[in-house]
Amino acid sequence: MKLILDACCGSRMFWFDKENPNVEFCDIREVPNHEFYPNRYIEIKPDTVCDFTDLPFEDNSFKLVVFDPPHLLKAGDTSWLVLKYGKLDNNWKSMIRDGFNECMRVLDDYGTLIFKWSEVDIKVSEIIKVIGTKPLFGHKSGRLNNTHWMAFMKFPE
């Protein structure tokens, strides 16, 4: 059993080791190696194809879960942005809440959840309201400081 889950891995952009054997890479889609812009390629090749709102893993299965869901609402369905990052639908609030809850469900007690969110269309303050819990700590990054990395821990009930 792998110790780490990336629940929506996309093209594994932020992973230093994109083939890390300790990580179960999941995504709802597969995209064969594709040139989306001249000399720029993307490939989405998850270990497990699944919806992050309904993960096919048992409770308390992972020590670390990475949750980097789609963050775009307004991009065109066939745009390279949607190809690269995915897109939320009009039901995005329940999608994010259900995805967060699923990530916490499969996280082991005292495990860590890293939640990455980009404020392109939706502010992180609204995301925190939707998931109903505050992170332990976080960090803004990126050229415009609109990407937030947030850490949560699962405490047993």
Side-chain angles (χ1 to χ4, degrees):
M1 183 63 165
K2 296 181 181 180
L3 298 174
I4 303 166
L5 171 67
D6 185 339
C8 13
C9 68
S11 63
R12 308 177 189 189
M13 284 183 288
F14 55 75
W15 287 93
F16 285 93
D17 180 357
K18 296 180 185 329
E19 300 298 327
N20 188 316
N22 297 303
V23 181
E24 182 69 25
F25 292 101
C26 297
D27 207 287
I28 197 167
R29 61 207 171 112
E30 290 182 288
V31 176
N33 198 22
H34 174 77
E35 186 175 28
F36 66 90
Y37 197 76
N39 297 315
R40 299 192 75 184
Y41 296 85
I42 188 169
E43 180 179 42
I44 299 171
K45 189 177 176 184
D47 299 323
T48 302
V49 176
C50 63
D51 182 340
F52 64 75
T53 66
D54 186 24
L55 295 168
F57 307 108
E58 294 182 19
D59 296 357
N60 306 320
S61 297
F62 299 95
K63 301 295 184 187
L64 173 66
V65 174
V66 178
F67 186 44
D68 179 15
H71 57 270
L72 300 171
L73 282 173
K74 301 173 187 169
D77 290 337
T78 59
S79 71
W80 70 267
L81 284 171
V82 170
L83 176 67
K84 191 171 182 180
Y85 299 112
K87 184 178 177 183
L88 296 167
D89 59 25
N90 292 334
N91 197 25
W92 68 267
K93 288 182 181 180
S94 60
M95 184 183 200
I96 296 300
R97 181 178 48 254
D98 293 348
F100 181 86
N101 289 340
E102 270 295 277
C103 288
M104 291 301 277
R105 178 187 67 77
V106 301
L107 186 62
D108 200 5
D109 288 343
Y110 303 107
T112 302
L113 170 66
I114 302 297
F115 188 166
K116 178 179 169 271
W117 185 260
S118 180
E119 288 187 319
V120 172
D121 290 333
I122 304 165
K123 294 286 184 197
V124 76
S125 58
E126 192 163 351
I127 293 303
I128 290 171
K129 285 180 196 171
V130 166
I131 62 174
T133 187
K134 290 182 181 177
L136 295 170
F137 59 89
H139 175 72
K140 293 181 184 182
S141 69
R143 189 180 52 167
L144 302 175
N145 271 338
N146 65 1
T147 298
H148 296 255
W149 295 83
M150 299 172 281
F152 298 82
M153 181 173 271
K154 181 178 178 180
F155 295 101
E157 298 178 12

